[in-house]
Amino acid sequence: MRKLGVNIDHVATIREARKTFEPDPIEAAYIAEKHGADQITTHLREDRRHIQDRDLRLLRETVQTRLNLEMAPTEEMIAIAKSIHPDEVTLVPEKREEVTTEGGLKVDLEGLEDVISRLKSEDIFVSLFIDPDNETIKKSKKMGVDAVELHTGYFANATENNRDKEVDRIQDAAAYAKKQGLYVVAGHGITYYNVKYLNKIEEIVEYNIGHSIVSRAVFAGLGEAVRLMKQLIVSR
Ligand code: PXP
């Protein structure tokens, strides 16, 4: 059965907008797991714009499924991964000015192979977030990763006219990655509206989804949240 990894970063984004205690990403992870999430993903960014170091420590203590830490391949992050010991690390590119992760990791990056082997020697399952491209997959495999996460952002941004082409590209890459013996994940920009186009790609064994789930959660709960506040005001 295909698995669902839930990225809880956007819960922390709302909290950090006020630098307060709510909403709590730890509680978000707990609720996600209670409702079927197979894995919790979180990205500790260099600028700490959403998830904080304390969140990561608490997630490590509380997540009951698998904790997937997305991180840039930097010395600071390697040290954090070694001390927190997530079940999985997904290496991603990171630029301070980007709104979100914009493209796959450049696998020719100097020192990447060494980063992978240092993480693997800690018994951490290592994945690379890459563009759906066979040459990149081949290089990833050679560097010893366990998994690849195929970047679905291009597909998510495609117009109706070129969506099929993007789906085919992901399909080909997923089939190739599976043939290489890699665990195949897909993520970025997957929504309640577009996931149906990817579902036919059987080689994808896991999705990583964040923004769309958190967006849906806001409206799934907004009515109840207003009702409760109204109740507090009128029953004073
Ligand atoms: N996978 C990776 C590697 C990401 O960087 C992100 C965004 O943080 C996601 C998946 C989730 O993307 P989205 O929030 O668009 O579902």
Side-chain angles (χ1 to χ4, degrees):
M1 199 168 50
R2 192 174 276 134
K3 295 192 163 135
L4 175 63
V6 176
N7 181 318
I8 42 110
D9 294 346
H10 290 295
V11 175
T13 301
I14 302 173
R15 180 193 62 190
E16 293 306 305
R18 285 290 178 92
K19 301 266 179 228
T20 179
F21 65 94
E22 64 179 0
D24 183 2
I26 317 306
E27 190 174 354
Y30 174 71
I31 293 171
E33 287 189 319
K34 216 165 72 172
H35 290 82
D38 300 292
Q39 176 259 91
I40 299 297
T41 289
T42 192
H43 185 174
L44 186 69
R45 294 187 72 101
E46 187 193 9
D47 61 9
R48 308 298 196 269
R49 70 173 70 156
H50 39 55
I51 290 292
Q52 307 297 308
D53 297 64
R54 175 178 178 270
D55 296 323
L56 187 59
R57 288 196 300 275
L58 291 173
L59 285 168
R60 176 62 298 179
E61 284 179 28
T62 53
V63 164
Q64 299 293 308
T65 54
R66 283 186 296 132
L67 179 63
N68 173 28
L69 171 62
E70 276 181 23
M71 59 175 233
T74 62
E75 286 304 324
E76 182 202 9
M77 290 300 154
I78 295 165
I80 290 172
K82 280 178 149 184
S83 90
I84 296 287
H85 222 276
D87 301 288
E88 181 173 340
V89 160
T90 301
L91 294 170
V92 298
E94 195 175 302
K95 291 191 227 111
R96 261 181 190 270
E97 63 276 15
E98 69 193 356
V99 175
T100 180
T101 316
E102 282 166 1
L105 194 67
K106 299 284 166 270
V107 293
D108 296 322
L109 205 69
E110 202 186 327
L112 187 60
E113 193 164 358
D114 179 55
V115 173
I116 293 165
S117 87
R118 285 161 71 193
L119 292 169
K120 283 190 63 79
S121 71
E122 296 283 318
D123 236 359
I124 296 172
F125 186 89
V126 179
S127 179
L128 295 188
F129 181 55
I130 55 169
D131 291 345
D133 163 72
N134 288 1
E135 206 42 48
T136 310
I137 292 166
K138 198 164 151 188
K139 287 181 186 164
S140 305
K141 171 70 184 173
K142 254 181 97 181
M143 285 193 288
V145 295
D146 303 290
V148 285
E149 179 172 337
L150 302 175
H151 188 349
T152 48
Y154 312 101
F155 149 78
N157 292 333
T159 59
E160 217 170 310
N161 290 340
N162 60 11
R163 189 198 297 120
D164 287 352
K165 199 177 93 213
E166 290 299 332
V167 172
D168 288 348
R169 194 153 84 98
I170 296 166
Q171 165 80 76
D172 290 349
Y176 185 73
K178 186 182 175 187
K179 238 188 356 206
Q180 300 285 317
L182 294 165
Y183 187 83
V184 185
V185 183
H188 212 284
I190 300 175
T191 68
Y192 291 84
Y193 308 102
N194 66 22
V195 71
K196 61 177 183 245
Y197 302 108
L198 297 177
N199 278 340
K200 63 176 187 181
I201 307 177
E202 286 179 8
E203 292 85 353
I204 298 174
V205 287
E206 188 170 305
Y207 291 130
N208 262 335
I209 307 178
H211 188 265
S212 194
I213 290 177
V214 174
S215 303
R216 174 68 57 124
V218 171
F219 288 158
L222 188 60
E224 174 60 16
V226 172
R227 194 191 61 74
L228 180 59
M229 185 56 83
K230 183 78 191 248
Q231 201 180 50
L232 288 174
I233 289 168
V234 297
S235 62
R236 183 158 61 91

